[in-house]
């Protein structure tokens, strides 16, 4: 049987999961790859108690793996875009295939990396970079290759989904939930990447490039995290028949492409609304098949290892064939990716949930509905709730029909300027995802 020598750089949660999976399923993997996947070297600064490396060749210098002539494929699990960039580009320059879980690296430098890999005749696998164990890269690149993709919407960060699910079911405050997610190993080394939407933004850039054939670029992407989200709004949303999810949304239309990451109300009837905890889900709407949904574990040791090992099996299978027969990393060669105009957030069309505290006296609501009417915004639902927001104030919640965000922003400013409205207006976008 053929052998492929694997060098693994980084032995954190995902690295140890990969070593364990390659070991535990070695026979099955070899049968499927028609090739033995040998862990020939590990580059790791520290041991990991979750993984027994006694019988393995471990070096504390990750760059040793790149120059090791025995290594065929380098698994990059360092993270970040500095050392990891040098590692990946160095591996390619040394004629080694690369498999990575690094979404920031692919989103920011993927174009250059894939072009260098194609020139060097090596593969770069990145299935694990988006939505952990869900094979969404292969679904978009291979399974949906005959479709024109209209939109992609996904829960693509497990940490925020875990936090929002717990907030909805238990009303636990944000800070406590973040430390729970960190303890469970879901969060990035810098958790602001999760809760501020940066991690999801990186993943969305990759999905949009694959789906729409556009270059990998974060420019023009709108990103908003969950740190300002109040349990009160999660509870009101539930009352109105919606869940609050942190979504990455990519849509292409005749006007251009919109890329946005933000908290979103989705109706209880939408399949994605039931995707809770650390689970991820990606919905893809495309012209031939319609809407398809992919869900599963989006983070964690073995789920992410599942995608990494699938890429390693691809490397093993395909390295026996000519490079011309390999699918391009982004579906088409990098030079054939075509930029499209990017729509600013003010230009998008969506529905909104808005909440404000208003004086409980006659005429207040009619002033608000007049502002909405003048802005051309149709109201779908309006409720008033007595809340402990001061004796004279009540919470007013409005659901709008689809409108331009710019119109909504104008109306929000006018509502905030009313003497009868206290503080600022909270607004959250609403997507029905079935149209
Ligand atoms: N921190 C990421 C998440 C891990 O929470 O989804 C997987 O990319």
């Amino acid at each position: 049987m053929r052998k492929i020598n694997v060098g693994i750089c980084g032995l954190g949660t995902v690295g140890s999961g990969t070593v364990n999976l390659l070991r535990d399923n070695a026979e099955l993997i070899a049968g499927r790859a028609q090739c033995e996947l040998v862990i020939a070297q590990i580059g790791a600064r520290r041991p990991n108690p979750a993984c027994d490396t006694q019988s393995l060749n471990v070096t504390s210098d990750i760059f040793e793996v790149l120059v090791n002539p025995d290594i065929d494929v380098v698994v990059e699990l360092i993270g970040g875009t500095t050392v990891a960039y040098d590692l990946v580009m160095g591996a390619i320059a040394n004629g080694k295939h690369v498999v990575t879980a690094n979404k920031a690296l692919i989103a920011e430098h993927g174009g250059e990396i894939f072009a260098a890999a194609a020139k060097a005749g090596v593969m770069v696998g990145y299935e694990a970079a988006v939505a952990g164990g869900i094979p969404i890269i292969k679904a978009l690149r291979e399974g949906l290759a005959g479709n024109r993709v209209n939109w992609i919407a996904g829960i693509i960060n497990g940490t925020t989904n875990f936090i929002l699910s717990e907030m909805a079911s238990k009303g636990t405050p944000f800070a406590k939930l973040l430390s729970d997610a960190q303890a469970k190993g879901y969060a990035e080394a810098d958790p602001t990447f999760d809760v501020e939407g940066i991690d999801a933004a990186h993943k969305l850039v990759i999905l949009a490039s694959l789906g729409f054939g556009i270059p990998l670029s974060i420019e023009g992407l709108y990103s908003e995290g969950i740190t300002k989200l109040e349990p009160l709004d999660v509870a009101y949303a539930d009352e109105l028949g919606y869940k609050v999810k942190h979504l990455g949304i990519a849509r292409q239309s005749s006007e251009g492409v919109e890329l946005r990451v933000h908290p979103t109300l989705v109706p209880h009837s939408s399949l994605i609304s039931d995707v809770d905890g650390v689970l991820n889900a990606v919905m893809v709407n495309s012209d031939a098949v319609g809407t398809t949904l992919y869900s599963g574990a989006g983070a964690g040791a073995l789920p992410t290892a599942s995608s990494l090992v699938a890429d390693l099996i691809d490397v093993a299978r395909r390295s026996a064939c000519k490079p011309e027969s390999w699918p391009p990393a982004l579906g088409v060669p990098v030079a054939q990716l075509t930029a499209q105009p990017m729509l600013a957030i003010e230009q998008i069309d969506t529905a909104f949930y808005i909440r404000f505290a208003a004086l409980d006296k006659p005429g207040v609501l009619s002033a608000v509905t007049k502002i909405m009417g003048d802005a051309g915004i149709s109201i779908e639902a309006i409720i008033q709730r007595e809340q402990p927001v001061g004796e004279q104030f009540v919470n007013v919640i409005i659901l709008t029909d689809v409108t331009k965000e710019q119109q909504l922003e104008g109306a929000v400013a006018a509502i905030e300027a009313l003497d009868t409205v206290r503080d600022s207006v909270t607004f959250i976008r609403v997507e029905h995802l079935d149209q």
Side-chain angles (χ1 to χ4, degrees):
M1 188 176 261
R2 285 192 307 132
K3 280 191 180 156
I4 286 268
N5 285 326
V6 180
I8 298 177
C9 296
L11 198 60
T13 305
V14 175
S16 61
T18 305
V19 170
N20 290 335
L21 184 60
L22 283 170
R23 270 192 187 141
D24 293 348
N25 287 357
E27 206 174 314
L28 173 151
I29 291 167
R32 292 195 175 144
Q34 287 297 294
C35 177
E36 195 184 335
L37 271 61
V38 180
I39 303 170
Q41 194 167 34
I42 292 179
R45 294 196 188 108
R46 286 174 286 283
N48 185 336
C51 174
D52 175 9
T53 52
Q54 256 186 353
S55 59
L56 298 173
N57 169 6
V58 183
T59 168
S60 59
D61 177 7
I62 51 169
F63 284 91
E64 219 179 274
V65 180
L66 298 198
V67 292
N68 180 341
D70 295 337
I71 300 290
D72 300 301
V73 49
V74 172
V75 180
E76 182 277 308
L77 298 172
I78 299 300
T81 53
T82 53
V83 176
Y85 173 87
D86 293 342
L87 192 74
V88 165
M89 291 303 273
I92 292 168
N94 287 347
K96 299 183 191 311
H97 304 290
V98 172
V99 169
T100 179
N102 191 329
K103 50 259 163 172
L105 184 68
I106 297 299
E108 290 179 23
H109 300 287
E112 182 190 352
I113 289 169
F114 297 140
K119 205 161 159 210
V122 295
M123 280 170 257
V124 177
Y126 59 100
E127 183 65 72
V130 182
I134 304 173
I136 188 62
I137 303 299
K138 290 189 210 318
L140 279 166
R141 188 177 55 205
E142 277 116 60
L144 299 172
N147 286 253
R148 177 176 299 277
V149 174
N150 300 315
W151 54 260
I152 300 167
I155 296 169
I156 44 181
N157 182 273
T159 301
T160 46
N161 202 39
F162 170 80
I163 291 172
L164 291 180
S165 306
E166 294 286 299
M167 198 182 272
S169 61
K170 299 181 188 145
T172 313
F174 172 81
K176 164 81 173 80
L177 292 170
L178 176 59
S179 56
D180 286 358
Q182 284 177 289
K184 287 175 188 283
Y186 304 150
E188 295 299 299
D190 176 353
T192 57
F193 271 55
D194 297 293
V195 296
E196 295 293 1
I198 304 161
D199 177 77
H202 286 142
K203 293 167 179 169
L204 189 66
V205 161
I206 298 171
L207 294 176
S209 179
L210 271 168
F212 307 151
I214 57 176
L216 291 160
S217 171
I218 206 151
E219 213 164 303
L221 181 146
Y222 174 84
S223 174
E224 190 182 307
I226 61 163
T227 52
K228 296 196 189 90
L229 204 62
E230 294 187 39
L232 174 74
D233 291 309
V234 174
Y236 280 141
D238 186 49
E239 221 181 289
L240 287 159
Y242 293 83
K243 279 231 186 122
V244 181
K245 294 291 179 190
H246 193 236
L247 292 190
I249 300 170
R251 184 176 273 128
Q252 70 172 340
S253 66
S254 53
E255 290 166 45
V257 167
E258 59 189 65
L259 294 184
R260 47 193 172 104
V261 172
H262 51 70
T264 314
L265 264 68
V266 291
H268 285 154
S269 57
S270 169
L271 289 176
I272 210 167
S273 79
D274 286 334
V275 175
D276 286 328
V278 74
L279 291 181
N280 280 198
V282 182
M283 289 177 99
V284 182
N285 178 272
S286 42
D287 62 355
V289 69
T291 302
T292 50
L293 172 72
Y294 311 83
S295 70
L302 285 176
T304 312
S306 164
S307 287
L308 287 161
V309 170
D311 276 346
L312 288 171
I313 293 173
D314 274 355
V315 167
R317 284 171 172 163
R318 290 176 185 157
S319 56
C321 315
K322 289 193 174 144
E324 297 82 65
S325 67
W326 303 344
L330 289 168
V332 294
V334 169
Q336 287 173 28
L337 296 167
T338 312
Q340 292 188 39
M342 297 297 297
L343 298 184
I345 192 72
E346 295 77 21
Q347 294 171 279
I348 66 150
D349 293 305
T350 189
F352 290 89
Y353 160 103
I354 71 175
R355 172 181 58 84
F356 51 89
L359 266 184
D360 190 11
K361 68 174 201 183
V364 172
L365 275 190
S366 72
V368 170
T369 54
K370 178 167 182 338
I371 287 172
M372 301 295 264
D374 290 349
I377 302 168
S378 175
I379 293 174
E380 195 180 277
I382 184 162
I383 55 172
Q384 184 180 306
R385 283 283 180 275
E386 288 200 40
Q387 289 292 324
V389 291
E391 269 172 27
Q392 300 167 303
F393 288 88
V394 290
N395 272 322
V396 177
I397 298 101
I398 296 179
L399 280 180
T400 76
D401 279 339
V402 173
T403 181
K404 271 268 179 271
E405 175 136 349
Q406 201 165 28
Q407 305 294 111
L408 191 279
E409 283 179 8
V412 162
I415 294 170
E416 282 174 346
L418 292 173
D419 292 344
T420 48
V421 169
R422 201 179 73 174
D423 306 331
S424 55
V425 173
T426 294
F427 68 90
I428 309 174
R429 298 168 190 88
V430 181
E431 294 285 340
H432 291 90
L433 299 176
D434 50 5
Q435 292 145 2

